[in-house]
Amino acid sequence: MAPVIHMPEPLCLVKNTNGRLVANPKALTILSAITQPVVVVAIVGLCRTGKSYLMNRLAGKSKGFSIRSTVQPHTKGIWMWCVPHPKKPDHTLVLLDTEGLGDVEKLNAGCQREVARLKARSRCAQCESGDKKNDTQIFVLALLLSSTFVYNTMNKIDQRDIDLLHYVTELSGLLRTVSSPDLDGIEDAADFVSICPDLVWTLRDFYLDLEAHGQLITADEYLENSLRPKQGTDQGLQNFNLPRLCIQKFFTVKKCFIFYLPTLRKKLAQLETLRDDDLDPEFVQQVADFCSYIFSHSNAKTLLGGIKVNGSRLESLVLTYVNAISSGDLPCMEDAVLALAEIKNLAAVQKAIAHYDQQMFQKVQLPTETLQELQDLHRASEREAIEVFMKNSFKDVDQGFQKKLETLLEARQDDFHKRNSEASLDRCSALLQDIFHPLEGDVKRGIYLTAGGHRLYVQKTEELKAKYYQEPRKGIQAEEALQKYLQSKESVRDRILQTDLALIEREKEMEEAHVKAEVLKAEEQRMWVAVLRQYQQMMEQRQRILQEQVRQMERNRMFQHPLQQRALDLRHHCQILWKITEELEICMKINEFLRVAEKTLAEEKAKRESSEKEKKLHEQKVKKLLKKCENLTRAFMEFKAKMTEEIRVRESLLKEMNERIKMLKAKMNNNNESKQNTEMTALQRPRKQ
């Protein structure tokens, strides 16, 4: 990334010292650090005509270039302000504000004398000293350095402004001859000099109506009409047409802007501090249109051959033109030949490089399948490029330029290798994204976050890798891109593996819990079978006891042993109560077992709360067990009620038996008494007899 140049305020680029133009080393250092192409906008015009105000607005500031409303001009020499281009991020905007021109008529005369002097020097090739007017030097230097030249004049376009611009353009053309030694009889010397700048003519405090022949016209049409030559052949018309034809030839792109008076004249002294609301709205809009045009249409400073000027090249141009203005010595013929050879060979190198680039771009389809394929194409294009250089080179005695070409071709080769790797990496990255996108979607949806998901994930990854290997034209970065992609997904694979292991462990725990539940269920069933068997035995025992009681009662009835029978019945009832007590203890043990089972189930239920499905299964099991417990409790209560009823029946029978025994006893007593009475009666009868 290119370094950003920070200039909080403008800096003097060129100043006049003892009648000679001198470049400021500090400003040149700033230029040399700019690696981006530069868009150079220079403004020239009379003193106190608002040049600095327009340049400040181009810099996006209200202050910067000095603005003064006094009769004494404030800007001296050429001042520079480098700012980031507002609409071209990869360019730097270089603003050049110039010292205000003095009297235009005197300046015209000075330009004419300078033109005549340089023409004479170009014919005799001798150095001729003489004073140069400062205004002329500043005007010419700004014109030569700029890619957009802003010509700032007052009120309207008149003949004096046209003559001045004409003389300066002619002078700059001659200055190029002086500063470019290869122009000595060389037709293609334009390969060295810069392209002529675009012309933006600004008319300040404009007061005319934009009309022509009763029709409204634009500012651009007004400029074209002012520069249009007249028909005719007399000397007066030729003098009128000559500057216009020269200006039209020198400036291929022309634009005109008009500006009304910005505010009341008494407020012009505070123009630097006035806000847009304090200015004429039309003037504010005109300034905005001017800035928008400069930002959108001003191109980078370019040398013929398509070479864009960056900061260091602009630094060289500044030094070249300043030296040429200060001293116009023409080089000797030997120097001109060497300069010509350098220019020709540089052009040959550029043509060879352009041919190499053309061939490589036509033949190479990035990414190449192998590195050898790119090497073969490079060697073929390199041979053709060297042939092009040999055809167009001139006096490359020590083969310095051929070696330079080889170095450039080697750099081009490295660049193609780099681009090939980048194209291969981009192609592989796109393929990997396209091929593995469904897998990534499945991962996001949690499809592989299950038991055994890691094995399925690895299997799917291998299938997609095989599909990736089958794709053509992946280039030399195919394997590296795949490995980088797989490494970037290591965390996903590890997460799936950890989840897989955790789920397998949980399934084992669930299986163990299931086995425990089955064991408890079997134990419960065995216990219930034992209880039922015991209950059955108890019922059989009770039936036998009842049968025995019935038989005993019959025996008692037969043998009339009521007291003994009662004792036996009481003993049997005690045994029955003891049996009932044992059964109650068994039921209590069953109830305790059920509480233990319920506690165990509660613990199992707590372990399974992490999974909703397991929770539901546990709840169902708990419900079943609770239902069984309820059934057991209900059966126990029924059994208890039944036993209670039977005890009650037994007690009733016992009571009835006691009553019968009493009745039998009473009957026996009555019988005994009757018998005794009978015996007594029988005994008494003999006595009576």
Side-chain angles (χ1 to χ4, degrees), residues 524 594 624-634:
E524 179 185 355
L594 291 175
K624 290 180 180 180
L625 290 174
L626 290 175
K627 188 174 182 181
K628 289 181 180 181
C629 291
E630 290 175 358
N631 293 335
L632 287 173
T633 304
R634 191 180 298 111

Side-chain angles (χ1 to χ4, degrees), residues 367 422-432 471-475:
E422 292 175 352
S424 174
L425 191 59
D426 293 342
R427 161 75 173 159
C428 294
S429 298
L431 277 177
L432 289 169
E471 291 290 336
R473 301 201 67 81
K474 295 187 294 295

Side-chain angles (χ1 to χ4, degrees), residues 56 246 356 441 495 510 608:
N56 286 337
C246 289
Y356 173 85
R495 180 163 58 90
M510 291 175 61
R608 294 172 179 81

Side-chain angles (χ1 to χ4, degrees), residues 73-308:
H74 194 264
T75 302
K76 292 292 186 179
I78 298 179
W79 285 68
M80 175 188 74
W81 200 353
C82 300
V83 296
H85 200 289
K87 290 191 176 182
K88 298 178 180 179
D90 54 345
H91 288 65
T92 297
L93 182 62
V94 179
L95 303 174
L96 300 181
D97 189 17
T98 62
E99 177 180 346
L101 304 178
D103 185 83
V104 176
E105 293 182 355
K106 292 182 180 180
L107 182 59
N108 285 342
C111 288
Q112 293 177 17
R113 289 194 299 271
E114 192 69 15
V115 168
R117 187 184 65 80
L118 286 175
K119 284 183 177 179
R121 285 184 52 220
S122 64
R123 286 193 298 269
C124 64
Q126 294 177 355
C127 178
E128 181 179 345
S129 62
D131 295 334
K132 306 177 180 68
K133 285 192 173 294
N134 183 65
D135 290 351
T136 305
Q137 295 172 346
I138 295 298
F139 201 146
V140 172
L141 186 56
L143 184 64
L144 292 171
L145 295 177
S146 63
S147 58
T148 296
F149 181 74
V150 181
Y151 189 30
N152 192 68
T153 62
M154 294 295 294
N155 305 133
K156 61 186 178 66
I157 300 175
D158 57 20
Q159 187 63 36
R160 292 184 306 168
D161 297 327
I162 294 175
D163 290 339
L164 175 60
L165 187 59
H166 162 234
Y167 293 138
V168 171
T169 55
E170 186 177 357
L171 183 61
S172 66
L174 292 174
L175 181 59
R176 283 175 176 161
T177 302
V178 174
S179 60
S180 303
D182 55 293
L183 292 180
D184 191 12
I186 306 302
E187 295 180 357
D188 58 351
D191 288 339
F192 177 75
V193 298
S194 61
I195 295 177
C196 297
D198 298 341
L199 173 64
V200 177
W201 199 316
T202 55
L203 297 171
R204 309 302 293 272
D205 301 346
F206 188 75
Y207 59 84
L208 298 178
D209 293 330
L210 289 176
E211 292 184 4
H213 307 294
Q215 300 289 332
L216 293 177
I217 61 174
T218 64
D220 293 337
E221 291 173 337
Y222 172 60
L223 176 60
E224 291 296 329
N225 293 339
S226 300
L227 297 179
R228 183 177 293 115
K230 296 181 179 180
Q231 300 295 327
T233 57
D234 60 26
Q235 186 62 37
L237 289 177
Q238 290 182 4
N239 293 336
F240 177 84
N241 292 336
L242 178 62
R244 288 164 172 79
L245 293 173
C246 289
I247 291 173
Q248 289 185 359
K249 183 177 180 181
F250 191 88
F251 298 106
T252 58
V253 177
K254 297 177 287 295
K255 181 71 177 177
C256 182
F257 287 94
I258 63 171
F259 298 91
Y260 298 140
L261 192 67
T263 185
L264 299 176
R265 292 192 179 276
K266 62 181 181 180
K267 292 185 178 182
L268 291 178
Q270 293 85 30
L271 184 61
E272 190 178 55
T273 60
L274 292 178
R275 299 178 301 175
D276 288 348
D277 296 340
D278 300 327
L279 302 177
D280 185 349
E282 287 187 291
F283 175 79
V284 173
Q285 184 60 45
Q286 290 165 348
V287 172
D289 294 341
F290 167 77
C291 294
S292 177
Y293 176 85
I294 295 296
F295 295 150
S296 302
H297 294 82
S298 295
N299 298 317
K301 180 72 174 174
T302 308
L303 303 178
L304 285 177
I307 302 174
K308 290 187 177 182

